[in-house]
Amino acid sequence: MSLHTVEPEIATGQTAALFTATHRALGVIPNLARVMANSPAVLKGYLGVVTTLSTEGTLPAQVRESIALLVAQENGSDYCLSVHAFRGTRTAGLSAAEATGARRGKADDPWAAAVLELAASTVRDRGTVADEQLTAARRAGLCDEQIVEVIAHVALNVFTNYLATAARVEVDWPLVRHTDWTNAPSARSAPSVRSAPRIRRTTDSTTKAITLPTSVQVLPLQHVSAAEAIAWHQVVQASTAHDLPGVPTPDLGQIQAQLTRPALGSRRLMWLATRTDGVPVGVASLRVFTSAGQEHLAELDLHVDPAHRRLGTGSLLLSAAVAACRAENRRSLIATAPADGPGEAFSGRRGFRRALALSHLVLRLDDTDGADLLRISEAEHPGYRLTGWTGTVPDGLAASFAAAKNAMNDAPVGDLDYGSVAWDADRVRAMAAVVADRGDTLLTVAAAHDSGAMAGYTEIVIPHGAPPRVQQYDTAVVPEHRGHGLGLWVKAAMANRLRAEHPGVTEIETDNADDNVHMLAVNHRLGFRPYRRTCELQLDLDLPST
């Protein structure tokens, strides 16, 4: 009989707060933490000790994970072995060979080897460490402070091993068994937990087990192959169709360009989750911003095939992304999800908060009064004239256009820790190159002032393949030129341009922050109508990695 698990969805009070702290510290709320939550005092104490040892202790992450692997192997704890095999190789930097060696108490580095010898003696002899062992540890360079920490880590891992085994905790990490190699060291103190990865769902007093047909592995992608792009597209297509019915899904070419082409002011980290039989079940892409003013920020795009949800895949992907954020010293992780949908619920249970609400609107050009659009775009605005281009801004306008782009820095962003971006001529050219490199078409209409300054602009991107729906990019008016109707003017001119130059385009999709009252009024005046709602979610990475 297993112990009860406390589900985060129904947790309240101190337990809910502890789950939030658990997720912020670990990037996931593992099943073992859900068992610990039967006693909030135990969970609180465990988190406190782990956090303190990792942030104030002297042992590096690789050594801490090596101790955990050794102790889990000695105790035959498949659950903890699975946890630390994943964390050791994915977040602490151990190679697969080093992780396997740690399970045997071996390490190439003499100092780390001495640590493992001391840890092995501690766990095997139940703390009765011989004088010779202490002498050998000191001779290898360990001070008494480090010796105490080694023993503390052994004790902490013995606790989690025993609890995981006693509670029959279901393995919610990529499964590693203590019997995985021939001539493996024998487990000494406890039978192994059940090896098939399963997840319990608890409702009131009824417990139902859901058996996973196969375990899931999460693999980082360095150079995306054609097969991996196809797998990625398969997951995104299924996820989008389920969560956003009626929203056009990106085609394979768009997905491949997104994964393989460079982005502006950022680089991309990617993970693919598959079953052991190779079937793709989830994907995650982390955009790590590199521009000055946004070096604290990362943006996550995560999808799980609906047929494989609620089985831990999303949590594994999120854990990998959060670990990467911490390695990159990011303080904020943001993501977009349909408002009040499963993505927001999933994120909320894992410490994200809603930081910005967005309304998506669509202008259907076929249903729009063309004469009205023409009147707006042909109205006189003394001191201003319309100009436009396709792709890269003309050299003579690059500097003034870059100055206008900086007007986006005062756009409403709610509580998002979005930072700011400094635009110059090189950056606007680089942005156009990125759009062109992925096969999309960038259109710009701008209002130029008689002084030579760029007063306002609007941008549209036509995705590769010329689908009927195009995407609104930035629309901004420089502060000193506001109040002259320039935003309405350039957007109406863009709609007329699309009708004349791209007759296959029938819809424009845009999004506005709910508190961007002025731009919402402009869009409604042009005929944009509400379509769907999304939200920007933010995870504050204010706790150190453990």
Side-chain angles (χ1 to χ4, degrees):
M1 180 181 295
S2 61
L3 295 182
H4 174 69
T5 58
V6 180
E7 296 299 327
E9 294 87 344
I10 61 173
T12 59
Q14 183 185 19
T15 303
L18 287 169
F19 276 149
T20 298
T22 301
H23 190 273
R24 286 180 175 173
L26 304 178
V28 67
I29 304 176
N31 285 344
L32 184 59
R34 302 176 192 215
V35 171
M36 285 188 198
N38 282 294
S39 169
V42 169
L43 179 55
K44 182 178 180 180
Y46 173 76
L47 289 174
V49 172
V50 168
T51 301
T52 301
L53 283 175
S54 64
T55 59
E56 300 178 23
T58 61
L59 302 184
Q62 288 186 348
V63 171
R64 298 196 302 268
E65 291 297 330
S66 295
I67 294 172
L69 285 164
L70 167 69
V71 176
Q73 182 67 42
E74 288 292 318
N75 287 329
S77 173
D78 288 358
Y79 184 90
C80 293
L81 197 57
S82 300
V83 172
H84 294 289
F86 181 89
R87 292 181 60 82
T89 57
R90 300 299 173 86
T91 66
L94 291 173
S95 68
E98 288 170 332
T100 300
R103 292 167 61 182
R104 293 187 169 99
K106 304 296 183 183
D108 292 335
D109 177 75
W111 187 85
V115 169
L116 291 180
E117 288 176 9
L118 175 61
S121 175
T122 302
V123 69
R124 290 169 184 167
D125 299 327
R126 299 181 182 180
T128 307
V129 180
D131 288 344
E132 295 80 4
Q133 186 67 59
L134 291 174
T135 299
R138 292 190 177 104
R139 188 180 301 120
L142 275 75
C143 64
D144 283 4
E145 178 184 10
Q146 291 166 332
I147 291 173
V148 170
E149 286 183 25
V150 170
I151 296 171
H153 279 286
V154 169
L156 191 64
N157 282 284
V158 167
F159 160 65
T160 56
N161 292 176
Y162 284 10
L163 181 60
T165 301
R168 281 76 163 172
V169 177
E170 307 296 350
V171 180
D172 51 348
W173 302 78
L175 179 63
V176 178
R177 297 182 178 89
H178 70 282
T179 56
D180 269 353
W181 68 67
T182 305
N183 299 322
S186 59
R188 296 174 179 266
S189 47
S192 64
V193 298
R194 285 174 286 189
S195 59
R198 297 155 61 93
I199 293 179
R200 282 194 304 273
R201 307 291 178 200
T202 304
T203 304
D204 298 328
S205 60
T206 303
T207 301
K208 180 174 70 173
I210 301 175
T211 304
L212 297 179
T214 55
S215 61
V216 171
Q217 56 184 353
V218 174
L219 302 174
L221 302 183
Q222 302 296 332
H223 304 287
V224 178
S225 67
E228 289 165 341
I230 291 171
W232 196 289
H233 178 248
Q234 177 181 323
V235 172
V236 172
Q237 194 172 45
S239 171
T240 303
H242 179 272
D243 297 341
L244 298 170
V247 174
T249 57
D251 62 27
L252 177 58
Q254 292 170 319
I255 289 292
Q256 194 154 17
Q258 178 190 44
L259 298 179
T260 60
R261 303 299 186 187
L264 181 65
S266 62
R267 51 191 172 81
R268 196 177 300 277
L269 305 176
M270 298 162 287
W271 297 268
L272 174 65
T274 65
R275 299 189 325 200
T276 52
D277 58 3
V279 174
V281 296
V283 297
S285 169
L286 186 70
R287 186 181 179 192
V288 180
F289 290 85
T290 56
S291 297
Q294 291 189 310
E295 293 167 318
H296 63 284
L297 186 66
E299 183 175 27
L300 177 65
D301 185 29
L302 189 154
H303 296 267
V304 176
D305 189 313
H308 300 279
R309 291 180 180 176
R310 300 190 68 81
L311 298 174
T313 301
S315 294
L316 287 177
L317 288 166
L318 180 59
S319 178
V322 168
C325 284
R326 295 192 188 282
E328 296 283 346
N329 294 317
R330 304 290 140 161
R331 72 168 182 254
S332 299
L333 174 62
I334 61 175
T336 303
D340 303 314
E344 184 177 10
F346 168 87
S347 302
R349 292 192 295 269
R350 288 154 179 84
F352 284 80
R353 57 181 175 82
R354 182 186 286 198
L356 179 67
L358 295 168
S359 295
H360 290 247
L361 305 99
V362 169
L363 177 66
R364 293 179 171 84
L365 294 174
D366 290 345
D367 298 335
T368 303
D369 185 346
D372 185 45
L373 285 177
L374 196 61
R375 282 193 299 271
I376 297 172
S377 61
E378 290 184 346
E380 291 187 4
H381 290 72
Y384 299 93
R385 61 179 177 83
L386 289 174
T387 185
W389 58 88
T390 299
T392 305
V393 59
D395 287 344
L397 298 175
S400 59
F401 180 53
K405 289 283 284 185
N406 285 306
M408 284 299 297
N409 283 326
D410 69 357
V413 293
D415 294 327
L416 276 179
D417 184 18
Y418 196 73
S420 60
V421 175
W423 289 86
D424 57 20
D426 288 339
R427 185 177 177 88
V428 296
R429 293 188 186 104
M431 174 199 163
V434 166
V435 174
D437 192 44
R438 64 178 187 236
D440 298 345
T441 301
L442 175 63
L443 305 180
T444 306
V445 170
H449 189 254
D450 288 346
S451 65
M454 194 75 70
Y457 68 93
T458 189
E459 298 168 320
I460 288 286
V461 168
I462 303 176
H464 174 75
R469 179 177 293 180
V470 298
Q471 299 298 318
Q472 177 79 63
Y473 268 34
D474 291 349
T475 298
V477 177
V478 176
E480 54 265 33
H481 295 280
R482 291 172 184 169
H484 301 289
L486 301 184
L488 181 67
W489 191 31
V490 295
K491 294 198 72 161
M494 177 64 83
N496 283 324
R497 180 179 175 186
L498 286 170
R499 282 182 151 184
E501 299 178 11
H502 301 275
V505 172
T506 60
E507 295 179 329
I508 304 172
E509 180 176 354
T510 189
D511 62 75
N512 293 119
D514 283 357
D515 55 353
N516 193 350
V517 178
H518 175 72
M519 193 53 67
L520 282 169
V522 167
N523 285 327
H524 284 300
R525 172 65 183 84
L526 290 170
F528 281 86
R529 294 294 176 259
Y531 166 54
R532 60 188 178 96
R533 291 179 56 77
T534 61
C535 55
E536 294 289 328
L537 307 167
Q538 181 167 307
L539 178 64
D540 301 315
L541 300 168
D542 54 356
L543 289 183
S545 178
T546 60

